[in-house]
Each structure stands twice: as C-alpha cells, then as structure tokens.
Amino acid sequence: MDTKALAEYLFPDVKEMPQDVEARYPKRELPEGAKVTRIAPSPTGFMHLGNLYGALVDERLAHQSGGVFYLRIEDTDQKRSVENGVELIIQAFRNFGLVPDEGATLDGETGDYGPYYQSHRKEIYHVFVKSLVERGLAYPCFCTEEELSEMRAKQEANKENFGYYGKYAKCRDLTLEEIEQKIQAGIPYVIRFRSPGSIEHKIFHTDLVKGKLELTENDQDLVLLKSDGIPTYHFAHVIDDHLMGTTHVVRGEEWLPSLPMHLQLFQAMGWKPPKYLHTAQLMKIDPETGAKRKLSKRKDPELALSFYRQIGFPNISVLEYLMTMLNSNYEEWRMANPGEPMQKFPFNTKKMGSSGALFDMDKLMDVSKNVISRMSAAEVYEEVASWAEENDPEFAALFTRDPAYSQAILSIGRGGKKPRKDIGLWQDVKPYMSFFFDELFEPDYGQMPSLETNMVRQILKDYQSVYDPADDGSVWFDKLKEMCPKYRLCGDMKTYKKNLEDYAGSVADLSMVLRVAITGRAQSPDLAQVCGLLGKERVLRRLEQAAEHF
Ligand code: GLU
C-alpha cells in the first residue's frame, strides 16, 4: 500500500508537516523542576467535586514549583457541551481561588500555547493524523455500527477480548482502490490507529499516585478521528499535552485503563509522555446501606460544586478539607500552623492515597467550623452578608441593618485559644443568632428547667429590678447567687450536689430560666455578653414577655 498516496488522498488540504506545528510550540522556558499542569474539563455545565479535587493538585504542583497551570477546554463532544459551560468552569474555579495562568478566559484565551479550545485545533490534529497515515500507523475504517456489534457478538461467542484489533480489524488491509471507492460512494469513516501491540505483552509504568504498575499492552486499533473529523479524547490528549508542554497529567483513575493506549500513541509519535497522576475516585458511605460507593451525580447533591455555595460552606473550608483528603499529613501541618495560608503547605504527591478517597460530610463540617472559628468577626460578617444576599435576602436585610451590631454578635467567643465553633456554614448563622433580632425571636419556653411555675414567674419578675447592664460577668453571676435563697435554690454547685434534698434547684436552674427567657433557647453564648448586646430595654421586655407566659 502506498501510504503516502493514501495520506494525500485523505487529507489533501493539510499542507503543514508535524515539524511546522511543533515549531509553533517551543519548549517552555521555566526553572529547573518547574511543573506544567492543566485542567481539561468538558463544558457540560456540571462542575463536580472531582474537578476541584484534581484542579487543586494541578494548581499546587505547578505553583509550588514555579511552573504553569493552564486551562484547556475539551469541547470535542458537541452533544455534551452547553452554551455557558466555559464560563461556569472559569467561575467555579475562580470562586475557589484557582486561577489558571493561561488558557481559556471569559472573553477568549490567553497564552502562547493555544488555541486552548480543542474545537479550534482541528487542523492541528489533522496534520498529525496525516503523518501517522503516511507512516502506515493509521488507516480509515468504514465499519458500520452493525458490523461492530456483529464483531462483538462473535467475540463473545468465542470468549475472546472485545474490540477492534488484530484479525478483527478488517479495514486494516483495504487497498487504496477499495478505500477510494468507498469514499467516493460517500461511506462515512473514522481514522484508526494501527496498534503494534499485543495482549501477550506487559508494559511497566510508574504512576505518581498509583505507584509501579504492570499493565497489559494495548492491541486495540483505537479511533483517532471520528467520522466528523473531530479527534477522540485519546488522540487529543496526546497531541495537546505534548504541544502544550504538560509535564504532569492529573486525572481521575477512570482513565487508567486507557493509559496503555496513550503510552503507545506517545511512542508512535516519538514523544516523551508526561508523568501521570491518576487520582482516587471520590467515595462516600451510603447512608442507607452503610457500604462505600462512588459519589453519584444522581444520588448525591454534594457532588456538585454549586451545592457548597448554596448551603454556604466557605470555599476555603472545602479546599481545606480536600487538602486533608489529598495529603495524609495536611491535618498535622494545619494544627502546627493554624494561621498560615494553605499555600505554605509543602504539597507532596507521595502523600496522596492511591485508593478510594472517602468524602465525609461530617468531617468537612468539622474542618469548616475550625476554619470559620479562625476568621475575624469582620470577615465572617462580609461572607455571611454576601451569601445571604444571594440565598436568603430576608435575613440579609436584618443582618446588614446594623453592621456593628451583627459584628459584635459574631465577636462573642471569637479569638483566643479556644474560640467558639458554632458555625460550620453560612446557613447556620441565621439559626445561631436569630434571637438577637426581634423579628426572628421565637422563644421556646418548653426549655425552662423544671421549677414550679410560680417560682419561674417570680424569678423573671424579680430579675427585672436586679438587672444592671453595667455588671460585668462576675458581678452578674454574684447577683444570681444572691437571689437563690429566696427560691430555695442553692447558690453553690458543690453544696447543692451534696444536699440535693434541701433545695428546689440550683443557681444553674436560675440562670437557665433567664437564658430561656432572654434567648428563647437552652443553649446560647455567654448570657452576660448576650444581654449587653441586646440592651437593657430589650432584656426587660423579654423577661416580662416570659413572665406573662407563665
Ligand atoms: N475532559 C476529560 C475529563 O473531563 C479530561 C481528563 C484529563 O484531565 O485528561 O475527564
């Protein structure tokens, strides 16, 4: 077969040679050891946790080494692309502070290694396919869907491997005349790679996450170009990552089975493959079955990145949690360096787990409570205000009515060695502080301690004349103790515990009566501080309101 003639026949318009294209993609000038990574999502409109998980690794590897982190849009599958898909991708990553150095942008693209949209690279792919055809390493295949399923049935019956390979690759040996005839007859075709491999052979590969792997060599004549001339993922991956100078490919482990194909293609092209990191699948414990399973788009709202924003997890909490999943020593580092930005952590691929990464919402919540407890009241205020404006405008109006008031509430128990950890998500802020707003104050008097009703009423009445907003925490408590004898309550907890029968209750019950009356609930931050913020008038009003209830 005259493969040169075939190449010319199939691609008459392709005039460039591979070396012409390569000349436009010179080797990047970067410091020794600098890594070039990319995120290569498809604009399907759905951004998931896995995208972020991988992107975080990409960003860290590149930026930690003085390298480049770029964004390539894999839009070769038109059916799966949505109109604002690219915008969604860019915004989603940007929200999490992951800003690529080059690649697709909101209004086009930036960087010297583009185009960064695969849909704009058709000519480039054709140059390289043409050269493969010319070298006898690729050929047109006219097999129809029916023929392929017949082949599959035969393979099944013979208990043979599935796929287009060896003796089953019937278009491998068509003559130039046959090919010309079919094309002239308008029969659609794809271009396949002529695999030189055999499943009798093993190949060895070291993945930076999975470690040393022994894999079966590829023998499949995989499709390089689909019948519309658009490349498959496999081919585009090899061409793009080579030309764009990617040094490290971080991708989900679902791509591991196709790695032998990719390595073979790199070899056929005469190029050095990048290093690969196949990241573990994100798993969860199914709440119904208790079994570990993959996070699913259909069943698990938490797979969508938009979910975290909606319920108000700070982006930094999500990132922080993903880091704990990604590097086994991250938590330890965080404990030793509570104030440092995440970027100071020495990210290490050797610390990445090689199998199923378990995503645990409770753990994320804990991480988030810690993250939020380290923020200043002003920061929390800003975040809550902007979250609430988007998600709960009614609360936003109350919350931002008096910024100093809201910030003072958020300041209670903040700072110091043991900050309060009430808030894990912005959605929690409203229930946490609702009693500070009369509009949201819905007291649950059912929380009152079991004292006689008359006594509760009396305490509420009496306290109105004792209350002085000027009292500091200890004077405030001394006053409560002084009130105790009148109601046969014990002012000292130790004495009380030893002589339970002698008393109707203790000072703890008394303060609970006040807490429930003033905050409407049994749990609240420090009551003296709460009263200070509510102001005398409102405290008295709430005491009276409760007294009237009993
Ligand atoms: N478009 C592919 C995906 O979204 C990219 C995989 C890769 O990073 O190579 O899974």
Side-chain angles (χ1 to χ4, degrees), residues 469-487:
D471 294 341
D472 72 15
S474 70
V475 176
W476 178 84
F477 199 62
D478 285 343
K479 278 190 175 171
L480 299 197
K481 286 194 201 164
E482 279 163 28
M483 285 171 72
C484 283
K486 178 172 175 193
Y487 319 101

Side-chain angles (χ1 to χ4, degrees), residues 143-155:
C143 287
T144 59
E145 285 297 327
E146 292 82 71
E147 283 172 298
L148 293 177
S149 26
E150 264 168 41
M151 176 183 90
R152 204 186 153 85
K154 209 182 275 174
Q155 288 165 342

Side-chain angles (χ1 to χ4, degrees), residues 139 143 147 150 164-174:
Y139 62 91
C143 287
E147 283 172 298
E150 264 168 41
Y164 206 87
Y165 60 90
K167 63 178 178 188
Y168 285 103
K170 62 182 185 185
C171 291
R172 264 188 176 194
D173 302 316
L174 295 176

Side-chain angles (χ1 to χ4, degrees), residues 247-421:
T247 62
H248 290 67
V249 166
V250 179
R251 63 183 181 187
E253 67 185 354
E254 67 275 17
W255 291 110
L256 200 54
S258 26
L259 181 63
M261 278 183 195
H262 302 156
L263 293 172
Q264 202 174 53
L265 269 177
F266 271 105
Q267 202 170 23
M269 304 302 296
W271 297 335
K272 182 172 167 246
K275 296 213 171 356
Y276 287 93
L277 290 86
H278 287 94
T279 55
Q281 290 272 3
L282 294 177
M283 316 279 281
K284 77 180 268 185
I285 302 285
D286 188 297
E288 269 156 39
T289 64
K292 214 168 155 182
R293 62 161 172 81
K294 258 168 55 180
L295 277 176
S296 124
K297 185 172 171 181
R298 198 169 45 81
K299 294 192 214 151
D300 305 313
E302 70 267 35
L303 186 59
L305 281 187
S306 53
F307 170 81
Y308 299 89
R309 203 174 165 76
Q310 262 158 28
I311 64 171
F313 267 118
N315 293 332
I316 181 78
S317 301
V318 180
L319 289 176
E320 186 82 12
Y321 176 54
L322 291 184
M323 280 300 257
T324 65
M325 289 176 78
L326 281 167
N327 260 205
S328 51
N329 56 334
Y330 184 77
E331 257 180 298
E332 202 183 309
W333 176 87
R334 173 50 82 205
M335 271 191 298
N337 302 277
E340 294 286 1
M342 202 177 77
Q343 287 72 10
K344 286 269 173 73
F345 170 72
F347 189 88
N348 186 345
T349 52
K350 294 203 175 74
K351 301 279 184 192
M352 289 171 74
S354 62
S355 58
L358 198 60
F359 183 79
D360 177 350
M361 219 32 166
D362 295 336
K363 187 78 206 280
L364 167 61
M365 187 63 93
D366 280 348
V367 168
S368 191
K369 284 184 174 169
N370 280 311
V371 166
I372 294 176
S373 77
R374 290 194 295 267
M375 292 181 175
S376 70
E379 273 175 279
V380 176
Y381 175 80
E382 288 305 327
E383 295 274 355
V384 174
S386 90
W387 177 84
E389 247 149 62
E390 219 174 285
N391 298 282
D392 188 351
E394 243 169 78
F395 178 60
L398 287 178
F399 183 76
T400 57
R401 189 169 57 195
D402 180 354
Y405 180 60
S406 292
Q407 283 193 37
I409 298 169
L410 293 168
S411 299
I412 300 177
R414 193 162 289 281
K417 276 225 154 64
K418 281 196 130 204
R420 291 187 68 93
K421 295 180 182 170

